[in-house]
Amino acid sequence: MVWFTEYWTENIGLTIRAKEIKRIKSKYQEILVLDTYEFGKVLVLDGLIQTTEKDEFMYHELLVHPALVSHPNPQKILIIGGGDGGSVKEALKHKHIQEVHLCEIDEEVIITAEKYFPQISSKLKDPRVKIFIEDGNKFLEERESQNHYDVIIIDSSDPISESKVLFQEQFYQKAKNALKENGILVAQTESPILQEEYFKNAVKNIKKVFNHTQVYIGSVPSYPSGTWSYTIASDHIDFTKINPPPDRFEDLNTKYFSDKLYSCLFNIPEFIKKLISEV
Ligand code: SPD
């Protein structure tokens, strides 16, 4: 019997019993693959759970679909991070998508996902997907002035070590420069309950860069507190005023996201509105 604990803060954590733990050391981090009783296989980077077979859909569907249905015609997508392939899998459910660029710093994450998480990584070899093994921040610097993408999805790990820069104002500015005029950025922005400062900092920096910003939340049981936030932003799309046509929600084959969920997505709890008002 093996137990794994992710320490959410110094006072609280999540402990999972595993049948087996595999350890892989990459150039950037320690990668663990846990074979657990409750969550199925679990991918852990430097001690932090990134994805689990049981609840990956809850996170990836909510990160990806709101932005893709909000955009009138998303064709070219960039995903930064997300080497497990979960966001690619969800993005390719939209029939307009012609090209997905995935920029992941650590090739070993992709190799591990393909070996141990075949369902989550199932679309990484799709011909519409081009993989770049690069630092996301540097990748954007090279494409900054190209008005290249319709939607940019920041599927990062937490704002520590290599990922810290992916939560800073300068990074969001580079992302905006790489978007087409009516482009949309969406980012995972941490737990508003246990990671209040990370959350507020990310929202504050996104708000500085874009005219329209909305926070929404969802449940991800394996992430700190189980309540997770996402921030969607654009210069030209006011998310509170648009009403995507019903066909944009068809054939997505989702288990969490739906047209009904989307229609009330931005009605977030009062205590989270208060946190946002403080940034
Ligand atoms: N605390 C973990 C947050 C991780 C968010 N991103 C995970 C990447 C999965 N595709």
Side-chain angles (χ1 to χ4, degrees):
M1 175 168 75
V2 201
W3 291 90
F4 165 84
T5 299
E6 172 179 329
Y7 294 94
W8 286 350
T9 72
E10 58 268 43
N11 303 312
I12 185 172
L14 172 69
T15 299
I16 311 178
R17 189 176 160 210
K19 298 168 200 166
E20 196 188 353
I21 299 184
K22 291 207 164 50
R23 277 170 216 279
I24 301 138
K25 187 88 189 92
S26 81
K27 185 173 150 199
Y28 295 99
Q29 54 207 337
E30 183 185 58
I31 302 172
L32 302 182
V33 179
L34 317 179
D35 188 4
T36 73
Y37 290 89
E38 294 296 338
F39 283 97
K41 292 223 184 63
V42 176
L43 178 70
V44 179
L45 301 181
D46 278 346
L48 303 173
I49 293 173
Q50 302 299 312
T51 206
T52 86
E53 284 182 325
K54 185 162 188 157
D55 65 5
E56 67 81 19
F57 71 94
M58 302 175 85
Y59 170 77
H60 291 120
E61 287 186 13
L62 233 55
L63 177 63
V64 170
H65 297 303
L68 291 186
V69 298
S70 297
H71 192 283
N73 184 20
Q75 297 186 347
K76 215 164 172 184
I77 308 301
L78 170 65
I79 297 167
I80 293 186
D84 54 52
S87 292
V88 171
K89 163 175 69 69
E90 294 305 319
L92 286 177
K93 290 178 174 176
H94 293 261
K95 42 185 179 279
H96 297 77
I97 306 294
Q98 294 174 351
E99 204 174 354
V100 177
H101 287 177
L102 174 73
C103 179
E104 164 63 57
I105 194 168
D106 190 348
E107 187 174 19
E108 209 56 58
V109 173
I110 295 176
I111 294 168
T112 304
E114 287 182 322
K115 185 164 178 189
Y116 296 104
F117 299 84
Q119 193 268 334
I120 299 174
S121 63
S122 57
K123 294 289 177 192
L124 287 177
K125 293 224 162 24
D126 187 286
R128 290 165 290 178
V129 179
K130 191 163 178 199
I131 297 177
F132 298 83
I133 305 298
E134 274 181 55
D135 175 304
N137 188 43
K138 295 206 182 99
F139 180 88
L140 280 181
E141 263 162 30
E142 284 152 26
R143 285 154 186 85
E144 256 200 282
S145 54
Q146 293 184 8
N147 302 324
H148 213 66
Y149 298 106
D150 298 304
V151 175
I152 297 180
I153 297 166
I154 315 297
D155 185 8
S156 65
S157 41
D158 303 294
I160 33 186
S161 62
E162 296 338 47
S163 296
K164 204 169 174 181
V165 68
L166 307 181
F167 291 78
Q168 290 171 357
E169 182 187 344
Q170 295 87 330
F171 171 77
Y172 296 126
Q173 185 62 54
K174 288 173 203 165
K176 175 167 138 169
N177 296 346
L179 282 168
K180 291 184 190 156
E181 203 187 335
N182 62 352
I184 295 176
L185 172 130
V186 66
Q188 75 84 1
T189 44
E190 304 288 303
S191 166
I193 296 170
L194 285 180
Q195 296 159 327
E196 210 180 292
E197 287 314 309
Y198 286 167
F199 166 71
K200 282 164 67 171
N201 184 54
V203 175
K204 178 181 79 189
N205 289 337
I206 295 172
K207 269 174 171 269
K208 281 187 195 159
V209 171
F210 290 91
N211 289 335
H212 302 284
T213 302
Q214 288 292 323
V215 171
Y216 58 94
I217 58 164
S219 172
V220 187
S222 64
Y223 285 179
S225 83
T227 295
W228 209 247
S229 77
Y230 310 82
T231 304
I232 189 168
S234 174
D235 263 358
H236 296 281
I237 297 173
D238 179 347
F239 302 98
T240 60
K241 299 215 167 86
I242 56 169
N243 201 1
D247 69 307
R248 300 299 304 281
F249 297 87
E250 279 168 12
D251 302 323
L252 294 179
N253 196 19
T254 47
K255 293 189 279 184
Y256 191 136
F257 181 74
S258 67
D259 52 349
K260 292 200 173 52
L261 185 85
Y262 180 86
S263 68
C264 56
L265 196 62
F266 305 123
N267 291 330
I268 57 175
E270 293 302 318
F271 76 94
I272 299 180
K273 283 189 202 157
K274 185 164 180 296
L275 291 179
I276 298 167
S277 74
E278 291 162 8
V279 306

